[in-house]
Amino acid sequence: KKKKDLRTLVLSADIHCKSCSNKIMDNIAFEKGVTDLKVSVEQKTIELTYDAAKTSEEALLASLKKIGYPAQVLERK
């Protein structure tokens, strides 16, 4: 069994309330390859851990944009 290629992105997005946070959690948590997701309304950030073998940074950014949250990458871990 090969080791997963897990990567973490810290994204900046225009999140201003709990319902924004919930919408992101409800949609992105179930994207293929996503293993962990944390949304901070206070910091307007999304921390997303994903398996690079199953999805890509571009695909995740596109998914966020599709639900109304275009995001910028702040950090790659």
Side-chain angles (χ1 to χ4, degrees), residues 55-69:
T55 189
S56 67
E57 183 178 310
E58 293 74 25
L60 295 168
L61 290 170
S63 299
L64 281 163
K65 190 172 183 177
K66 195 167 76 188
I67 61 166
Y69 297 94

Side-chain angles (χ1 to χ4, degrees), residues 7-20:
R7 300 181 189 182
T8 299
L9 288 175
V10 180
L11 306 171
S12 163
D14 194 13
I15 308 162
H16 27 73
C17 62
K18 191 76 184 133
S19 80
C20 296

Side-chain angles (χ1 to χ4, degrees), residues 4-7 32-35 49-56:
K4 289 182 175 175
D5 181 5
L6 293 182
R7 300 181 189 182
K32 192 172 149 196
V34 172
T35 58
T49 301
Y50 67 97
D51 183 345
K54 293 189 174 143
T55 189
S56 67

Side-chain angles (χ1 to χ4, degrees), residues 20-59:
C20 296
S21 169
N22 290 343
K23 186 174 179 184
I24 293 167
M25 294 297 273
D26 291 347
N27 287 278
I28 306 303
F30 303 105
E31 282 288 317
K32 192 172 149 196
V34 172
T35 58
D36 192 30
L37 178 64
K38 296 181 191 79
V39 180
S40 168
V41 176
E42 296 76 29
Q43 296 172 332
K44 297 186 183 300
T45 59
I46 303 163
E47 188 170 315
L48 190 57
T49 301
Y50 67 97
D51 183 345
K54 293 189 174 143
T55 189
S56 67
E57 183 178 310
E58 293 74 25

